[in-house]
Amino acid sequence: MMDILFYSAQAYDINYFNQANQQGSHRFRFLDAPLNEDNTALIKEEQAICIFVNDKADATVIHILQEKGVKLIALRCAGFNNVDLKAAASAGIKVVRVPAYSPHAVAEHAVTLLLALNRKIYKSYNRVRDGNFTLNGLEGFDLFGKTIGVIGTGNIGAVFCRIMQGFGCKVYAHDIYEQPALQEAGVEYVSMATVFSKADVISLHCPLLESTRHIVNAHTIATMKPGVVLINTSRGGLIDTKAVVEALKNGHIGALGIDVYEQEEHLFFQNFSGSIIQDDVLSRLTTFPNVVVTAHQGFFTKEALTQIAEVTLNNIRSYEKGEDLLNEVK
Ligand code: NAI
């Protein structure tokens, strides 16, 4: 039995992890505090910590974790850009993640953002509730026949491609690995520059790496079609948000749907409804009539939460038994 300390635990984490641990194979302690340097003081005897997307395991934190006897960082998410893997390796701390949980959850959320923006559901919902049944300003466009550009055709990007093909769209994709099954289904792999210049809608599904940071920037935006719809459910750092704000102001970007934001760790998963938001870039974004921001909810379906809890506990069990760590990140 392992003692596991959870950082950034929300009510749903507690619920789904307790369900997955009905046999009592592990002992849990849940904290709503995030992992950072100060909060390492909250570790007691736990050899495993379980963290989420905005918990910071940088070199300083990892050094303290090592001193405290932590042996395993179990990420209950797919992305791992918030963990210094080199520091973890030299501290002898293993890092595991949940590489693939319902890719449908995130892909379907990307489609949700696209449809909501195109047909302006957020406006019509409020209008009708206010007794206003007019249509001015709600005009959208048929997705049928449009060109969709997808960056990253891994688990999520591949599902997104197939959904868009179902709408009768032409799909151009870019990835460093091409998937033959998608090619057979009619997805055409092209350069990133071609995706950017040809697409009516661009959706980002690649991980955040040094090579992918700010792939959407002032230069690449200038090559995009005027009126392009940009969707990002991957990681905020893929987009230079200030450049996107400029392009929204001058109309080059027609609509923006994001579930992730560069500075989200200061805001997302917390309730600031009674406070003054200090982030001027996000605040500006939320003033545009053609921008929808959701707070990293792409993964948030019953199916995904069940899989996340089960795979995370399996990862921890494998570590405990000394088995090969199939979901290790190095
Ligand atoms: P994956 O690892 O299956 O696919 C990522 C794909 O990106 C791979 O095919 C890879 O070859 C490709 N790629 C890597 N570098 C690239 C580059 N320079 N240019 C083009 N493609 C490149 O990952 P998965 O599961 O599809 O997730 C994608 C991203 O979605 C994750 O990295 C994560 O950041 C994000 N995500 C967001 C969630 C949310 O709730 N909004 C939940 C889960 C994941």
Side-chain angles (χ1 to χ4, degrees), residues 184-198:
E184 279 161 31
V187 171
E188 202 175 315
Y189 279 98
V190 294
S191 67
M192 193 180 295
T194 305
V195 169
F196 285 162
S197 64
K198 294 264 193 270

Side-chain angles (χ1 to χ4, degrees), residues 227-293:
V228 64
V229 179
L230 182 62
I231 306 292
N232 186 12
T233 55
S234 201
R235 283 293 179 267
L238 297 176
I239 288 182
D240 177 349
T241 318
K242 287 186 179 156
V244 166
V245 167
E246 281 312 306
L248 283 160
K249 282 165 77 176
N250 65 34
H252 195 102
I253 290 181
L256 174 74
I258 55 173
D259 187 47
V260 286
Y261 168 59
E262 275 183 287
Q263 305 297 329
E264 69 175 53
E265 70 262 31
H266 306 299
L267 295 165
F268 285 12
F269 312 123
Q270 299 167 69
N271 182 357
F272 290 105
S273 56
S275 323
I276 307 295
I277 302 287
Q278 299 296 323
D279 186 320
D280 290 350
V281 177
L282 185 78
S283 296
R284 182 69 180 97
L285 274 181
T286 57
T287 66
F288 290 102
N290 50 351
V291 172
V292 171
V293 181

Side-chain angles (χ1 to χ4, degrees), residues 92-114:
I93 296 176
K94 301 276 188 199
V95 182
V96 288
R97 67 170 179 144
V98 185
Y101 52 88
S102 177
H104 303 280
V106 186
E108 288 173 16
H109 190 67
V111 179
T112 304
L113 289 172
L114 170 57

